[in-house]
Amino acid sequence: MKKVNQFFSLIAIMGMVTFASCSSDDDSTVSEEEIVDTDNDGVADADDTCPNEAGTADNNGCPEEASLVTLTKYVVTASSSENDYIVTSDDIAGTTIFDATSTEAVQSPGDRIWSFYNDEVLYGFLYNQADAGTTASYLLNEDGTVTKRNELALDVSIHIRGEVNDNLILAASDRLRDPEVEQLAYFYKVDPATDASEEFTLVTDNLLEDGEAAYFTDIAEYDGKLILGARSINSSAFSSDYYNNTYVVVLNDDFTLNQVIKDEGRTGFVSGQKYSQGDTGLEVVDSGDLYVFAASQADYEAAATLDVPSGVLKINAGTYEFDSDYFFNITEVSGGYNLFRSYYMGGSTFVLAMYPGTNDNATFGIDADRFAVVDVEAQTFVWVSNFPENALVGWEFRAPYIDADSGQLIVAATPSENENYLYSIDPATAQATQLSSVVGESVKIVGKLSTTIEE
């Protein structure tokens, strides 16, 4: 009997051990940790660097970054009838045709003056004498077409424009049409990313000389400051008692006057002016030096007796006075021609737009008719060859393009009636080469627009 009881006791103990073992197995199954994948990308949160954004295992659970590429188009604006038209192409080779009369051309109403902000935005300024002018901005789309972004309602028509501290600066000057009222310069500081603008004014009476008003001819950035080329005038016809003075005006960030840098007796005012429009003349080179190009133009009445040479002056980097030891007499080295506009090509090299003669042929209504390559440091001068004669009528509208990719200046020209072509000028050889043809009445500007797209 005792052995039987021991037998049943052994069975009972074995049963308890078996039950305990099964119970232990069940508990481990229930407590096993669940895999959490919040963004359902197949990568567990524990191994996911971006647990809230679906990604790939190869990128540790994060989204793969899109590959960005830059799309660039050459852009030409040309007039046809009473409007301007924007046309684009991938290149400007001799076989390319920019047709402003085609259905693909983008119409911009009115007769405009055009300017690029870098390769990002194209601006068209509708000039309306002393009255308000409308400005439109255009962008390149991802599909390679151009569309209008905004219209800027400005209180005045724009005379000059420039890039300063990542902003587009637009300006216009009163020119004594009513000498009884205070003369002003008007500035618009435009954010090129949005076209948002602020307006500032500056009194120009007696700014340069007593009894005369300042008329601004160019805008540039120097040493982090906004600088202006200027001429002194005493009538709406741009007459003056100070044709042989050169002025650079420095402004503060709030567009108040900082100082006037003045040179007397060597050359004339900054830039070459075509009617109301000024452009170029203040050129900062790679070394930081500021070269000042003066066209020595006069009004029509004084031109017959005035003999002031075109020339280049210099302000050494970081200073605010003209270098008294530097003067490059352009009229002398060119054999009696005057400079009109200046285009910086890198180093100390410039391409100059030139026009013939002095005196009566040195007024603000004269068109440039040829080009030269100069080195302002070595003071060398070489005429550009193979460029057509008398092909640059309408310089108040024309705007060449400094093509950084090719290192050449791209110019629109009209070698004969109803023929428009683009030409490249190589500063290394001083040679011009005919490129694309343009169908339209006249070519206003050539340049590039770019946009970034995801591949």
Side-chain angles (χ1 to χ4, degrees):
M1 186 68 180
K2 183 176 182 180
K3 290 182 178 180
V4 173
N5 290 337
Q6 289 177 339
F7 173 77
F8 282 111
S9 296
L10 181 59
I11 293 175
I13 291 170
M14 291 175 63
M16 293 175 62
V17 170
T18 303
F19 176 79
S21 175
C22 292
S23 176
S24 175
D25 289 344
D26 291 344
D27 287 344
S28 67
T29 301
V30 172
S31 63
E32 185 176 326
E33 184 178 350
E34 295 183 8
I35 296 175
V36 179
D37 182 8
T38 302
D39 55 16
N40 296 314
D41 62 0
V43 181
D45 284 5
D47 302 317
D48 197 333
T49 306
C50 306
N52 296 311
E53 293 181 274
T56 65
D58 290 340
N59 202 34
N60 299 317
C62 290
E64 297 282 354
E65 292 186 7
S67 177
L68 300 178
V69 296
T70 300
L71 174 66
T72 300
K73 294 280 188 178
Y74 281 95
V75 178
V76 167
T77 67
S79 62
S80 181
S81 187
E82 297 180 353
N83 298 307
D84 288 346
Y85 292 85
I86 305 169
V87 286
T88 66
S89 177
D90 293 329
D91 60 61
I92 52 174
T95 55
T96 300
I97 300 174
F98 291 87
D99 189 353
T101 66
S102 72
T103 56
E104 295 179 356
V106 178
Q107 185 186 65
S108 184
D111 192 10
R112 295 178 182 266
I113 298 170
W114 294 87
S115 179
F116 286 92
Y117 178 85
N118 296 325
D119 291 348
E120 302 169 20
V121 190
L122 174 63
Y123 287 94
F125 305 93
L126 192 60
Y127 185 66
N128 194 23
Q129 299 293 332
D131 298 323
T134 301
T135 298
S137 63
Y138 295 83
L139 300 176
L140 182 67
N141 300 315
E142 292 186 2
D143 63 359
T145 61
V146 173
T147 55
K148 183 168 71 174
R149 178 174 65 179
N150 288 316
E151 285 194 357
L152 291 72
L154 308 179
D155 292 335
V156 295
S157 293
I158 298 303
H159 299 153
I160 54 174
R161 55 212 65 84
E163 301 168 17
V164 179
N165 294 325
D166 298 324
N167 289 294
L168 175 66
I169 307 299
L170 310 175
S173 305
D174 286 338
R175 60 180 254 200
L176 291 167
R177 283 189 172 92
D178 185 353
E180 301 301 319
V181 302
E182 188 175 58
Q183 301 298 294
L184 298 173
Y186 308 84
F187 299 95
Y188 293 90
K189 180 180 177 182
V190 180
D191 180 354
T194 63
D195 291 334
S197 65
E198 296 179 78
E199 183 181 4
F200 303 84
T201 58
L202 176 69
V203 177
T204 59
D205 291 309
N206 307 309
L207 184 69
L208 306 177
E209 304 290 350
D210 289 340
E212 298 201 357
Y215 187 93
F216 294 121
T217 57
D218 192 28
I219 297 174
E221 179 183 339
Y222 170 68
D223 199 26
K225 294 182 174 60
L226 189 155
I227 59 172
L228 300 154
R231 67 185 297 174
S232 186
I233 63 173
N234 57 29
S235 76
S236 61
F238 294 103
S239 59
S240 176
D241 292 329
Y242 304 94
Y243 289 117
N244 61 341
N245 287 354
T246 308
Y247 310 94
V248 175
V249 178
V250 183
L251 298 187
N252 298 311
D253 290 343
D254 61 356
F255 291 81
T256 56
L257 180 65
N258 180 292
Q259 61 181 296
V260 175
I261 308 171
K262 177 180 174 180
D263 187 85
E264 297 182 77
R266 293 195 285 178
T267 183
F269 69 89
V270 176
S271 180
Q273 190 177 333
K274 175 66 176 180
Y275 301 124
S276 65
Q277 298 295 310
D279 190 28
T280 79
L282 300 174
E283 311 291 346
V284 180
V285 300
D286 295 337
S287 67
D289 293 334
L290 170 63
Y291 286 91
V292 179
F293 293 77
S296 303
Q297 293 170 321
D299 73 302
Y300 292 106
E301 184 176 347
T305 57
L306 191 70
D307 191 12
V308 178
S310 286
V312 186
L313 301 172
K314 180 183 179 184
I315 296 175
N316 294 309
T319 68
Y320 287 85
E321 61 183 359
F322 286 102
D323 184 340
S324 60
D325 295 326
Y326 180 91
F327 179 59
F328 186 9
N329 191 322
I330 297 297
T331 299
E332 182 178 71
V333 297
S334 65
Y337 284 72
N338 276 12
L339 73 86
F340 180 62
R341 299 275 166 85
S342 51
Y343 303 98
Y344 180 50
M345 306 306 296
S348 54
T349 301
F350 289 82
V351 174
L352 302 183
M354 303 287 294
Y355 64 91
T358 55
N359 302 115
D360 287 342
N361 290 322
T363 69
F364 53 83
I366 296 296
D367 282 311
D369 73 342
R370 65 201 66 195
F371 292 91
V373 177
V374 300
D375 185 316
V376 292
E377 186 175 325
Q379 297 197 18
T380 58
F381 182 100
V382 180
W383 286 111
V384 170
S385 59
N386 299 332
F387 195 84
E389 296 181 358
N390 303 314
L392 297 172
V393 177
W395 256 103
E396 70 270 32
F397 297 114
R398 293 183 188 273
Y401 176 65
I402 301 170
D403 193 338
D405 293 332
S406 67
Q408 301 193 359
L409 183 71
I410 311 302
V411 182
T414 307
S416 60
E417 189 175 358
N418 299 321
E419 279 192 334
N420 296 291
Y421 289 93
L422 302 182
Y423 286 80
S424 65
I425 296 175
D426 185 348
T429 62
Q431 296 282 320
T433 302
Q434 183 176 298
L435 303 172
S436 307
S437 62
V438 182
V439 179
E441 294 174 9
S442 66
V443 183
K444 301 293 190 66
I445 195 171
V446 55
K448 288 180 183 176
L449 282 177
S450 297
T451 189
T452 302
I453 60 176
E454 293 184 3
E455 257 192 340

